[in-house]
Amino acid sequence: MIYGIGTDICDIRRIEASLERHGERFAGKILSEAEMKTWRARSARWPARGVRYLATRFSAKEAFSKAVGLGMRMPMTWKLCEVGKLSSGKPVIVLHGVLKEWCEARGLTAMVSVTDETDYAASFVVVEQKEKP
């Protein structure tokens, strides 16, 4: 059963401006440790690709927070919600700590789609709840 749906669109130029103002500290507030590693590698090879990566993660986490109905308040935090990917390239939501426990207690699982084009990154999240027998 669908528990919630969330969507978000993010202006990549806004993310780029925040990076210019605050540097890596901004990315460090949004990204998990694993995401930071990927962001640094992409940014080193092609800075614009790093900005797009950060924007899609920002957007996906916003969409997830809307789908679970928490917004950006505990147990939802930027770092406890990670956007990973399967070997096929399919993006997945990976939860950690109290956010993972909160979702598991409610039987929630999430599916995510992310995209970026020119100036915008967008995400769509569907959260499902296991039906109780």
Side-chain angles (χ1 to χ4, degrees), residues 66 76 111:
K66 293 170 186 176
M76 176 64 199
M111 293 174 284

Side-chain angles (χ1 to χ4, degrees), residues 27-36 53 56-68 70-84 92-100 103 110-112 114 125 127:
K29 287 182 179 183
I30 307 301
L31 302 175
S32 71
E33 203 172 298
E35 291 168 323
M36 277 295 286
Y53 177 84
T56 57
R57 272 48 194 174
F58 183 96
S59 175
K61 293 174 187 199
E62 283 280 344
F64 176 81
S65 74
K66 293 170 186 176
V68 293
L70 292 171
M72 283 299 176
R73 62 183 167 80
M74 287 301 287
M76 176 64 199
T77 69
W78 294 107
K79 290 187 176 198
L80 293 181
C81 179
E82 182 178 313
V83 182
V92 293
I93 296 287
V94 180
L95 303 176
H96 302 281
V98 294
L99 181 57
K100 180 178 181 179
C103 286
M111 293 174 284
V112 62
V114 299
V125 173
V127 173

Side-chain angles (χ1 to χ4, degrees), residues 10-76:
C10 176
D11 189 326
I12 294 171
R13 297 163 296 189
R14 186 176 136 229
I15 297 297
E16 188 171 33
S18 293
L19 277 171
E20 287 172 6
R21 274 193 313 275
H22 305 290
E24 190 170 305
R25 197 177 69 210
F26 175 71
K29 287 182 179 183
I30 307 301
L31 302 175
S32 71
E33 203 172 298
E35 291 168 323
M36 277 295 286
K37 184 178 177 183
T38 302
W39 175 75
R40 284 183 182 123
R42 289 184 180 194
S43 295
R45 285 193 309 266
W46 188 25
R49 191 167 177 221
V51 173
R52 292 169 112 57
Y53 177 84
L54 180 56
T56 57
R57 272 48 194 174
F58 183 96
S59 175
K61 293 174 187 199
E62 283 280 344
F64 176 81
S65 74
K66 293 170 186 176
V68 293
L70 292 171
M72 283 299 176
R73 62 183 167 80
M74 287 301 287
M76 176 64 199

